[in-house]
Amino acid sequence: MGKKHQKNSSRPSELSSDQLERQAHVDMAAGRFRKARDIYKILCKQDREKNLPGLIEANRRLAEQLTENGQISEAEQVLAYLKTIAPSSIMLANDVCFALKQQDWQTALDGALRLRNSTHNEHDRAVVADALVLAFPNLEEACRLAVPEATDLAAVVGALRCVSEERWEQAQELLRPVPRGSLFAAWKILVKGIIAFYAGNPEKVDTLFAQLPPYGVPARAANALRLFLGTDHPQKFDEPAVEQAAKGACCLLNATELAPLLLRADRSWRAGRHADSYKEMRQAPGFPSEQPDLAGALSDFYFKAPFAMRDAAYEKYRQSFARLADSGRFKDDREGRLTYRFLGCAEIDDPFSGEIEHFWRKFLQFCPADDPLSGKIASLALARVGAHYAQREEAVPFFFDEEGERMRDAEGAIRLLEESIESDPSNLSAYLKLLDVYEFAEQHNDRNRLLDRMAELFPKDKAVLLRAGRESLKRNGYFKGIQYLERAHSLDALDPEVLQTLVSAYARLARQYYQKRNVNKGRHTFDLARRHAIRDQLDFIRGLDFLQALQGVLEMTFGDKGMGLRLMTAARECTRSLVALLFFAHGNSRLYHRKQGSPFWAELLRNRDQVAGARVRKEVYLAFEYIRSLDEALDWSAESAFVRESLAPLASGAFTRDEASYFIPLLGVEPHFVSLAEAINSEALRRDPDDPRFRLYSVFGRTRSPHDLDIAELDNIYHDAIRQGDTKTAELARAAIGTAENLSEPEDEEEDFGLPSDQLEEMQQMAAQMSDAEFEEFRKESAKFIPLTLFDLVMAGVRGKSSRRSRSEKRQRPSMRTDEPDLFS
Amino acid sequence: MNPYLILRVLPGASDAEIRRAYLDAIRKFPPEREPERFQTISHAYEQIRDEKSRLNYLLFDRASPGTTPFEVFKKFCAASPLEKPLDFEAMKAFLRSCTKT
């Protein structure tokens, strides 16, 4: 049994007097005055002299509480009892307190004047000071009062007036004569604190307010002001003090009416009754708000906090708003807008959402039509829904994926994105997303048209121009492509991506000119390309050596052979990798001669022994990859053999770990090089049998299907890699484990849903052949023997992705259902 | 917390007004003296610096300003220091409201 429960189960009469006293203190601090009073009654029976003050105080506070709650007759009963136990001065103090709470300043003032002479109790003296100040007598009235500290009172009231008129120095002057022991000393401290507060000196405010006694109006006013300092003082107070500070702060913010609602709403929220909390707050005038005021901050909270909630609480809260949306009983358009915005945002995370479009369209309906930004708002909202539809479905990780990517709803995405662009033709991100979707859906004509339009609309957007240039090149529109790329280049002359594409475009155009025997134009185009050439880097597109070699090959094939040889000589002189250059020239030459061998092949073979170091090996392999990519259909077996022989020394040990790590995964996926990759891996493992990287490559090498992956072995490799700090291998191993585990889980389609599989298959076959209307009828009939949620799940794969459930059905998922009554009814 | 509140600009403020408010705020809270405050101000500025950011904030922002209504209230108070004292009548009302527990 828990401790708390034990405590509750004990009756007060069973506790010791120490325990009772402690409990009474706790209850007093928590504002449970009735309970505290009952305990003090018991304690008084044991030791009246000691506990009577406690009993009196508990009764006083209880009477105050009852009065504030409007339970006047009960308060009167408590006061009647209090009169029987409390001395007359306490009763007088009590009367003053009541008058203050009831905002009866004259009665409070009269009572305070009488109490002033009959008490020395600090608490009661504070009550007297409060009553005198809060009557706000003017100077004459104050001086006429029959109290020795009349001038102090006048000084405090005068200083408060000066503060409100920003006459800081005068306020200080007025306060100076008020002595420390004055009845109004606490008020003097408060006013000085207020002056420091507005002077922007929080340290001084803290120091001054720390000197205040914990009771009385100055302390309460100070607590309210402290909230604006951003310090955490209120957390140190008991709950009633925090609430009082909040009320005071609301008063300072000119939002007095919010305070009681805020406090109730806060209690509900902390108790986990989030929708109830909103319901409380909703009663406040001006709530919800979209302004940067207190109501706006609280509205922000209520419509954004759910995104940080745990699943069950979030779903319950979301459902309460979904019900409000269904009922349409919004407090005003603002609430409608914020509700649909929240529901729309909530759907963005749900890959199976069928309502995202509905919610955002409803949101737009609640936006003011005369807002000059309404087009842009609509465009952004629709583009977001379009992007949601355009999300690619997750592919199986790792390199075994065979299914290819799918888009959630390409048709829906196109529809929404087109509408978004229509709403705001300057929404660039909508164009870019639409471009992706057209690309995915292979709507090339639409894509090209859109690109041309984008280039017109966004003539100064580098990304658009680059994209337009690339797409033009894809469809062999070299002139147009180069135009776009030159414009992009003029916007950012250093962008390497633009330069690479531009040079590539010139080279391709030059090839075309040479092939059409338009040699002069070809030469001119190469001149243009060479403006952006680079030296001292292996770059098959922008490298000056490779550009010269390419032109040389084209001259030798289609133009002036002598010029071609001169260009090749110039290329040889400036290259950093002769073998790669020869490979490049050989490959390009073969593209036009379509036969084995080339003028460079013999030279290439002669220079094979230059392929000695790691750098050259890598360059040769890259050159091979590049030339093969120019025409995959050509027979590159001789070149493959050349590369294999060049890389063969790797298998006999002349390599570093990094080099082997680079080549094995590359070679391992090439049928021509698999045996070489295996040999290199074996050699690496011979050197270090525990190296997790090569053990992992070995696993991949011998695994023919992801189903054959050995999870235990992968797990060992993963942990060894982690131990050795080889994060790359660890990541690869983890991805492989993930793939293997995913594949080992039974697929959804194989679930029998608790029904005989033949019956399920029969239902699915029937459904597949039905029209929509027939299917709806079938669904209704099926509800007699199978729950509709199950039916929809079974039919999901047969009837496409669209759910047959209505919105309200979808919301009432069995596991999510709440038994709470409709909060907004 | 609401970026408009942090920078003390109205939702209809122009780019220039927002930038001016941002520069004023970081001058008041430079990074070397108030690094956290500076970060908050910079983040707020990024959220509303131009029309596109402002609309994105309006539509899609999901960052809750706190974990409970009272915490939001406290943060709101801390973010909106009272620059001018209440007039005398309002001051009286405030102090008198402090008699209630």
Side-chain angles (χ1 to χ4, degrees):
Chain A
M1 188 183 282
K3 197 179 168 186
K4 195 176 170 189
H5 190 71
Q6 272 182 341
K7 200 201 280 180
N8 289 343
S9 62
S10 301
R11 287 158 50 181
S13 56
E14 292 166 355
L15 298 172
S16 69
S17 53
D18 283 349
Q19 285 172 317
L20 283 172
E21 263 181 62
R22 272 200 299 277
Q23 186 58 45
H25 281 297
V26 169
D27 289 336
M28 286 292 282
R32 296 190 293 267
F33 304 121
R34 192 188 295 276
K35 211 171 163 196
R37 181 199 62 180
D38 293 344
I39 294 172
Y40 277 120
K41 272 185 182 173
I42 297 167
L43 285 166
C44 276
K45 284 178 191 164
Q46 294 167 7
D47 186 345
R48 186 173 173 81
E49 198 181 336
K50 181 183 170 192
N51 293 303
L52 187 59
L55 181 61
I56 292 169
E57 186 59 22
N59 276 293
R60 283 180 67 179
R61 303 291 295 273
L62 175 60
E64 284 174 16
Q65 196 177 51
L66 291 169
T67 311
E68 269 185 29
N69 295 344
Q71 296 165 280
I72 306 298
S73 61
E74 286 183 52
E76 281 170 356
Q77 281 176 20
V78 175
L79 287 171
Y81 171 70
L82 192 59
K83 273 182 189 164
T84 65
I85 57 168
S88 61
S89 63
I90 288 183
M91 288 313 297
L92 188 52
N94 212 44
D95 289 343
V96 176
C97 283
F98 269 101
L100 286 174
K101 283 184 195 308
Q102 288 172 335
Q103 314 271 291
D104 182 352
W105 312 115
Q106 190 56 49
T107 308
L109 179 67
D110 297 342
L113 292 172
R114 276 182 281 135
L115 182 62
R116 165 75 187 84
N117 300 319
S118 61
T119 185
H120 295 287
N121 176 295
E122 280 303 312
H123 201 285
D124 291 345
R125 277 168 59 82
V127 172
V128 171
D130 292 349
L132 294 174
V133 174
L134 295 180
F136 288 101
N138 59 32
L139 186 61
E140 277 178 29
E141 289 167 345
C143 292
R144 277 205 305 271
L145 293 175
V147 282
E149 297 94 343
T151 50
D152 294 352
L153 171 63
V156 167
V157 176
L160 280 170
R161 188 179 286 279
C162 287
V163 164
S164 65
E165 290 164 8
E166 299 184 61
R167 290 184 284 129
W168 313 114
E169 284 176 16
Q170 210 173 336
Q172 298 269 28
E173 281 302 314
L174 283 170
L175 290 172
R176 195 157 292 134
V178 179
R180 281 190 176 198
S182 165
L183 184 66
F184 302 100
W187 279 93
K188 176 183 174 179
I189 294 170
L190 173 69
V191 181
K192 286 176 79 173
I194 294 175
I195 294 169
F197 179 89
Y198 286 111
N201 188 346
E203 290 82 15
K204 191 170 178 188
V205 178
D206 266 344
T207 313
L208 285 164
F209 286 172
Q211 296 168 22
L212 288 169
Y215 42 80
V217 170
R220 291 175 196 157
N223 289 345
L225 284 165
R226 274 170 168 164
L227 280 174
F228 293 87
L229 295 177
T231 49
D232 284 336
H233 293 286
Q235 286 177 356
K236 295 174 193 162
F237 304 149
D238 54 29
E239 197 169 324
V242 171
E243 292 191 0
Q244 211 293 318
K247 283 177 188 167
C250 282
C251 190
L252 286 168
L253 290 167
N254 200 20
T256 318
E257 72 288 349
L258 264 181
L261 298 170
L262 168 71
L263 297 168
R264 283 205 299 272
D266 186 66
R267 274 194 290 271
S268 295
W269 189 275
R270 281 187 282 124
R273 289 181 283 110
H274 304 122
D276 281 348
S277 175
Y278 178 78
K279 196 185 164 195
E280 292 278 4
M281 210 61 234
R282 193 175 183 242
Q283 296 169 44
F287 181 92
S289 160
E290 290 163 298
Q291 294 299 310
D293 53 10
L294 178 56
L298 289 165
S299 306
D300 243 10
F301 168 75
Y302 279 102
F303 289 98
K304 291 177 185 174
F307 296 112
M309 282 181 187
R310 287 170 187 275
D311 284 352
Y314 165 78
E315 189 53 32
K316 205 169 157 186
Y317 192 70
R318 195 193 66 81
Q319 279 183 12
S320 65
F321 280 94
R323 282 197 299 277
L324 173 64
D326 273 351
S327 74
R329 287 198 291 269
F330 294 116
K331 188 176 169 184
D332 50 30
D333 278 4
R334 252 195 316 269
E335 188 179 58
R337 197 158 53 236
L338 288 167
T339 299
Y340 280 118
R341 175 197 175 280
F342 161 50
L343 293 172
C345 283
E347 295 293 300
I348 286 173
D349 293 335
D350 181 359
F352 306 107
S353 161
E355 295 185 287
I356 182 167
E357 188 177 341
H358 164 74
F359 287 141
W360 281 107
R361 285 198 187 279
K362 291 297 270 184
F363 165 82
L364 294 173
Q365 281 175 19
F366 278 94
C367 290
D370 56 348
D371 184 346
L373 292 173
S374 60
K376 292 191 174 187
I377 290 174
S379 177
L380 273 179
L382 295 171
R384 180 57 71 98
V385 181
H388 179 83
Y389 286 157
Q391 287 260 321
R392 310 283 170 102
E393 303 282 37
E394 270 180 44
V396 180
F398 213 48
F399 55 75
F400 297 112
D401 179 38
E402 287 165 5
E403 289 183 6
E405 278 187 317
R406 284 170 301 183
M407 192 169 272
R408 275 184 194 158
D409 180 0
E411 217 173 282
I414 290 171
R415 179 171 49 81
L416 266 295
L417 290 164
E418 284 177 345
E419 202 179 332
S420 163
I421 291 168
E422 206 175 299
S423 300
D424 177 16
S426 68
N427 187 353
L428 176 59
S429 53
Y431 286 94
L432 291 170
K433 184 52 83 180
L434 183 57
L435 213 54
D436 281 342
V437 183
Y438 279 149
E439 182 85 46
F440 185 86
E442 298 184 356
Q443 293 182 218
H444 301 305
N445 289 339
D446 292 324
R447 181 200 60 191
N448 297 341
R449 265 197 300 275
L450 184 68
L451 260 174
D452 291 343
R453 192 174 157 206
M454 284 170 72
E456 270 173 39
L457 283 168
F458 307 101
K460 301 235 162 147
D461 192 290
K462 189 179 71 176
V464 169
L465 294 170
L466 178 61
R467 184 111 185 222
R470 278 186 174 150
E471 295 302 331
S472 298
L473 293 181
K474 265 190 203 169
R475 49 183 203 263
N476 295 335
Y478 297 120
F479 290 113
K480 207 170 180 180
I482 287 169
Q483 238 173 23
Y484 288 138
L485 292 166
E486 283 288 5
R487 270 160 62 192
H489 176 60
S490 69
L491 292 171
D492 184 355
L494 297 176
D495 188 318
E497 219 180 332
V498 174
L499 284 167
Q500 191 86 358
T501 319
L502 184 59
V503 175
S504 165
Y506 279 126
R508 286 172 65 183
L509 179 62
R511 273 181 198 271
Q512 202 179 53
Y513 280 136
Y514 274 102
Q515 278 175 284
K516 290 181 179 172
R517 312 286 168 175
N518 204 340
V519 177
N520 284 336
K521 279 194 175 174
R523 286 172 189 160
H524 174 66
T525 311
F526 266 117
D527 288 344
L528 293 173
R530 266 197 296 273
R531 288 179 307 160
H532 309 297
I534 50 170
R535 293 165 187 266
D536 304 326
Q537 261 184 53
L538 186 84
D539 190 323
F540 301 120
I541 293 167
R542 280 181 71 195
L544 179 64
D545 46 352
F546 290 99
L547 271 175
Q548 285 172 324
L550 177 60
Q551 192 181 356
V553 169
L554 291 169
E555 283 287 350
M556 286 164 73
T557 312
F558 303 107
D560 177 351
K561 195 170 178 185
M563 187 174 175
L565 288 170
R566 283 197 297 282
L567 281 163
M568 278 308 299
T569 308
R572 279 193 189 87
E573 279 168 7
C574 68
T575 191
R576 67 198 282 274
S577 177
L578 181 63
V579 183
L581 182 83
L582 291 170
F583 219 123
F584 176 86
H586 163 74
N588 274 293
S589 182
R590 279 205 59 207
L591 291 179
Y592 303 108
H593 295 293
R594 316 293 298 179
K595 60 180 185 186
Q596 294 291 348
S598 75
F600 311 99
W601 186 242
E603 190 182 356
L604 193 58
L605 292 175
R606 276 200 307 280
N607 284 289
R608 188 162 58 205
D609 53 356
Q610 281 191 23
V611 188
R615 182 180 65 83
V616 186
R617 279 197 286 264
K618 197 171 164 181
E619 286 171 352
V620 167
Y621 185 79
L622 290 174
F624 169 67
E625 287 274 87
Y626 179 77
I627 62 156
R628 196 175 54 169
S629 74
L630 297 175
D631 187 349
E632 301 257 0
L634 214 58
D635 176 12
W636 297 104
S637 53
E639 290 76 8
S640 299
F642 179 89
V643 173
R644 200 166 45 245
E645 280 169 41
S646 302
L647 300 181
L650 283 172
S652 55
F655 63 84
T656 62
R657 184 177 183 272
D658 282 348
E659 193 182 6
S661 300
Y662 174 80
F663 274 114
I664 293 168
L666 285 178
L667 302 175
V669 292
E670 294 281 344
H672 292 297
F673 301 121
V674 170
S675 57
L676 180 59
E678 284 171 356
I680 300 170
N681 204 47
S682 301
E683 176 57 23
L685 280 174
R686 191 190 62 75
R687 288 188 196 178
D688 181 2
D690 295 328
D691 191 318
R693 170 86 44 102
F694 299 109
R695 278 161 56 204
L696 185 65
Y697 289 156
S698 174
V699 171
F700 291 160
R702 67 172 183 267
T703 306
R704 294 289 160 252
S705 151
H707 292 278
D708 303 335
L709 283 167
D710 182 343
I711 295 180
E713 189 176 5
L714 288 169
D715 199 48
N716 281 337
I717 293 171
Y718 171 75
H719 285 103
D720 288 348
I722 291 284
R723 257 196 305 279
Q724 294 179 23
D726 185 349
T727 49
K728 193 182 164 192
T729 304
E731 272 172 32
L732 275 173
R734 197 175 53 189
I737 291 167
T739 306
E741 283 176 346
N742 281 342
L743 290 166
S744 64
E745 281 172 12
E747 288 183 15
D748 286 352
E749 285 79 3
E750 288 168 12
E751 284 178 6
D752 62 5
F753 303 103
L755 292 171
S757 59
D758 52 351
Q759 194 179 330
L760 278 178
E761 273 174 32
E762 196 182 322
M763 280 170 68
Q764 287 170 333
Q765 280 168 11
M766 282 163 64
Q769 291 161 7
M770 287 176 185
S771 68
D772 280 358
E774 286 169 338
F775 181 75
E776 278 305 330
E777 195 55 41
F778 178 46
R779 186 170 177 269
K780 271 185 211 161
E781 282 299 308
S782 304
K784 292 172 189 167
F785 60 91
I786 174 173
L788 280 180
T789 43
L790 203 56
F791 178 88
D792 288 330
L793 205 58
V794 172
M795 294 301 162
V798 184
R799 299 290 300 181
K801 63 169 276 185
S802 62
S803 168
R804 293 277 159 184
R805 285 177 291 161
S806 70
R807 278 206 315 283
S808 53
E809 277 175 332
K810 271 176 85 178
R811 270 187 217 124
Q812 290 169 6
R813 277 176 258 176
S815 60
M816 303 293 189
R817 185 174 292 164
T818 169
D819 292 322
E820 279 183 25
D822 188 347
L823 293 164
F824 301 101
S825 60
Chain B
M1 193 47 75
N2 188 322
Y4 294 98
L5 180 65
I6 292 166
L7 296 176
R8 293 192 213 156
V9 287
L10 289 170
S14 66
D15 290 3
E17 284 168 330
I18 291 170
R19 180 154 181 80
R20 208 173 309 127
Y22 163 69
L23 293 175
D24 285 349
I26 55 169
R27 210 169 293 130
K28 205 167 163 190
F29 303 104
E32 60 278 8
R33 216 179 61 212
E34 302 250 10
E36 275 181 35
R37 195 87 179 243
F38 175 79
Q39 217 166 10
T40 310
I41 293 165
S42 302
H43 179 60
Y45 179 59
E46 286 306 316
Q47 284 181 300
I48 57 169
R49 61 182 301 164
D50 52 35
E51 189 181 76
K52 195 179 169 194
S53 327
R54 289 195 286 279
L55 291 179
N56 267 311
Y57 172 79
L58 176 78
L59 291 179
F60 308 118
D61 181 70
R62 300 179 187 200
S64 173
T67 53
T68 64
F70 193 74
E71 191 195 327
V72 173
F73 173 70
K74 279 202 297 180
K75 283 188 180 175
F76 177 84
C77 290
S80 51
L82 306 168
E83 281 168 351
K84 284 201 164 222
L86 301 170
D87 63 47
F88 192 55
E89 286 309 311
M91 176 86 80
K92 275 162 77 171
F94 162 61
L95 293 171
R96 283 172 168 176
S97 77
C98 294
T99 55
K100 292 186 176 180
T101 45

